[in-house]
Amino acid sequence: MLAEEVGVAIAGPLKLNVQITRDGQPAIGPGKALVMEAVARTGSISAAGRDLGMSYRRIWLLVDDLNGSWAERVVETRAGGGTAGGAKLTAFGEQLLAVYREVEASMVAAAQGERLDWLVAALRDMPDAEGVD
């Protein structure tokens, strides 16, 4: 998964992410939201993994973690190969993803403006690669 694909970026050097945790572990964040979108788009956990450049084991663990973190299942799977098998977001999963993306957009909107400009201006300049010993 490419770093640029994860989270909501604001033009410039700052990147903001929303992450909801449960018992100190991420229940949803930018990466899991991408997994949910890929499952919804492809209809398959393995295809979602290929789409995101993840191993089947890695994406399966993320889906399992999503399903275990919430009061309702997020991804529903159907056993079998070919057209018999597959995966899709549950109605709860669709709502979870939509609400997460709304919160994310609200956070980015709130951060833009004078406060963001101040943070960017307060960053230290990067040293020249040639000047580093």
Side-chain angles (χ1 to χ4, degrees):
M1 189 172 350
L2 299 174
E4 302 86 48
E5 294 175 332
V6 178
V8 173
I10 294 177
L14 298 180
K15 179 177 168 181
L16 300 173
N17 292 323
V18 174
Q19 190 174 69
I20 308 298
T21 61
R22 181 181 140 275
D23 295 330
Q25 298 299 315
I28 190 170
K32 287 182 180 174
L34 286 175
V35 165
M36 293 170 68
E37 289 168 342
V39 167
R41 183 173 55 254
T42 64
S44 162
I45 292 173
S46 60
R50 286 190 300 274
D51 193 52
L52 295 172
M54 290 183 186
S55 71
Y56 180 77
R57 175 172 162 58
R58 177 70 180 136
I59 199 158
W60 180 258
L61 290 172
L62 289 168
V63 167
D64 190 51
D65 192 51
L66 276 163
N67 281 335
S69 294
W70 300 94
E72 297 182 38
R73 290 184 65 80
V74 175
V75 176
E76 177 183 283
T77 58
R78 293 179 313 280
T83 58
K88 67 176 189 171
L89 295 184
T90 63
F92 174 79
E94 291 173 354
Q95 182 178 11
L96 173 65
L97 181 59
V99 170
Y100 173 80
R101 291 298 189 204
E102 288 171 9
V103 169
E104 194 176 51
S106 295
M107 184 184 76
V108 168
Q112 292 177 332
E114 283 184 34
R115 294 173 290 180
L116 179 61
D117 293 343
W118 184 91
L119 288 171
V120 171
L123 287 171
R124 180 182 295 191
D125 288 336
M126 295 293 293
D128 291 338
E130 294 175 14
V132 177
D133 290 335

